[in-house]
Amino acid sequence: MHYGLGIDAGGTYTDAVILRGSDGAIVDAKKSFTTYPDIQQGIKNVLDSLDQQYLKNVNLVSVSTTLSTNALLENTGRPVGLILVGEQATDKEYPAESVVFVSGGHDTNGEEEYPLDTEAVREYVEASRSWVSAYAVSAYFGTRNPDHELAVKSMILSITDLPVVCGHELSQELGVYERAVTAALNAQLIPITYQFVNAVASDIRKRGINARLLMLKCDGSVYNIEDALEKPIETIFSGPAASILGASYLAKVDTCAVIDVGGTSTDVSAIKSGIPQISSEGCMVGGWKTRVKAMTMETSALGGDSHVWVKDKNVNIGPRRVIPLCVAATLFPDFLYRLKHNKMVLRKDTNENYQQTKFVVRTEYEATGLREKEKEILRSIGDEPVSVLELTDMTDAREIMLVDKALDSLINKRLIQSIAFTPTDVLHVLGEYEQWNKEASETGAVYLSKYANMGKYEFCRHVKDLFAMNMAHDLMSFLIPTIPKNAIDEVLSRNYPARFKTDIPVVLLGGPVSAYVAELRSLIDADVQVPQFASVGNAVGALVGKSVKRVEIMIKPASLMNPDSDFLVFSSEGRERFERYSDAVDYATKMGHSLVLNYEKRCGIIKEDTIINLSKHTTSPDNWPHPPLETRITVVGVGDPMMAIRGTYGNNNGSS
């Protein structure tokens, strides 16, 4: 019997599921905390908790993660050196520690405009090699001719063994600035992705499991793990991609909207006829526009572990993620006592950090580049939770401000982690979720409800209603993007004898999402579903993604003065030249098929089980008697890695 293993590493939990190859049934599923900075421990914990009899028979492993996305959103990617060749935007910012502009580049036909300044490249690499973790290279019209990008890459590799990313390897679309940004972000993620992939691969090897290892991309397809290490930028938003595939699989519907409630955020997306909605533009991440195609989605910084706090009687949720009180009381034996005996904060002094329910604990991250106040506070925080109120003299307004600023900085640098009241605590108080320490949640609710001038249960119901309102708002904002957000809030306010209605099912994924079904149905007329194994839907989605490879190749005459001969072919493999148009088309078609089949082979899919579609689009003026001015040949290959664990491919399950 063959089995598939899906793993999803999120900001709070690492999930794992095992699917049986014969019928696709889930035979085991577990969750474990994601561990920082040692990701491998969390992966080991969740795999240890699985049924080992099933696990030893796994022959396909597919993973997804939000770690890449979080690194870019939180600006914690590794330092990168960016080398820009030829005509580039010098008045814009780039996501790199340093940028150097060197002479070179090509024209629209791929002819060299200026020679590459190899000496400038060499000087920069020699000066930066000691402190960067990777290099990114992007040349002017590198998509028309990558020779200069490849020459720079070769030079860097002759000087250092650091990873090098070229813009043409990631996108064949024009847009010199966006391509440079994409290359730089990709280079940032190589060390982070390597850490995650290596953690999974090494754990699998230690267990003696001989399995092919794949990774989910942000468009919902999977790719070979070696390709993932070269192009980790394509893993951003793989978490939301996994959620929609998992929701469709678990709910057994090929058209639905999905609300995925995680610990840090809530993501809304949709799938139609089994095909996820893909953004026609490159996705935005951390404020940077990229050339990466990703699923269309709506995201808000509200999750089950978002900080619930009160200021001026107003209840706020998020945007920061914290450890829930109920979880902290389980992890730290003395925490409940500390919480119950914590000092009270005056109403006038309350803010996001100064709450009677707010504690901090030190992490294992290395502290570097700290200001004096940050060092002072960090020395006061150890392995046991410390109340924020204990870190300052609450009668000194200036001291409060300094400590508040230092705490924010230490949290952003991940040197400390916050503990506070959350929506997860709310569900414990209301008796709708009881996995952790309920007494800690109730203590926190008593404290905060007083600041909001409410009773304990009234306060918790209010927080729950706010959370459900956010879910409904994100759903309708995604489904009907033309409606202003304030108008959506008006309809959801229950002040009018009308409400929204959806014509497609709404599938909920995440931990205790079933607790919000009634509230969501009261706000929206919808078929709201919570399928079995909803809490590990992303791990399921990581495993059921298809291997999809899309190759686009362009053909154009080298000169309009002679449009009947001399044709240029542009692809990710470089530029080729043919005398006859028919030869150019034949070459492009064969190369497209070859690239697709090689990609599918790396995913464990043999030629006979790869579905290939070819399309050809030409552009010419009316009554043009010559070969087309532009020809775009697109070859798309689709395979199903799950077929491998059903025994379809025999012994074609090469190890990772």
Side-chain angles (χ1 to χ4, degrees), residues 221 275 546-551 592-601 603-615 634-641 643 646 648-649:
S221 63
I275 302 174
K546 302 292 192 296
S547 54
V548 181
K549 178 63 175 177
R550 180 185 179 92
V551 176
H593 275 78
S594 176
L595 291 175
V596 162
L597 290 174
N598 285 338
Y599 180 94
E600 296 294 338
K601 184 178 180 180
C603 292
I605 313 298
I606 60 175
K607 178 179 179 180
E608 290 75 16
D609 292 300
T610 300
I611 300 172
I612 297 181
N613 291 308
L614 183 143
S615 62
T634 302
V635 183
V636 179
V638 181
D640 185 359
M643 293 179 67
R646 295 183 183 123
T648 304
Y649 301 156

Side-chain angles (χ1 to χ4, degrees), residues 214-265:
L214 305 177
M215 192 164 190
L216 191 71
K217 297 196 290 184
C218 52
D219 63 358
S221 63
V222 295
Y223 56 164
N224 177 275
I225 211 66
E226 285 79 12
D227 294 328
L229 291 174
E230 290 183 5
K231 301 178 181 180
I233 188 68
E234 295 184 358
T235 68
I236 59 174
F237 302 129
S238 70
S243 71
I244 195 166
L245 295 176
S248 176
Y249 185 88
L250 293 173
K252 296 180 174 57
V253 292
D254 61 2
T255 298
C256 64
V258 181
I259 303 178
D260 180 15
V261 181
T264 307
S265 63

Side-chain angles (χ1 to χ4, degrees), residues 455-475:
K456 178 178 69 174
Y457 294 108
E458 178 189 8
F459 172 76
C460 288
R461 284 191 292 267
H462 177 64
V463 173
K464 185 184 177 187
D465 195 51
L466 289 176
F467 198 90
M469 187 74 72
N470 180 78
M471 293 170 63
H473 174 98
D474 288 352
L475 174 65

Side-chain angles (χ1 to χ4, degrees), residues 90 293 394 485:
T90 58
K293 294 293 191 298
M394 293 300 296
K485 295 185 183 298

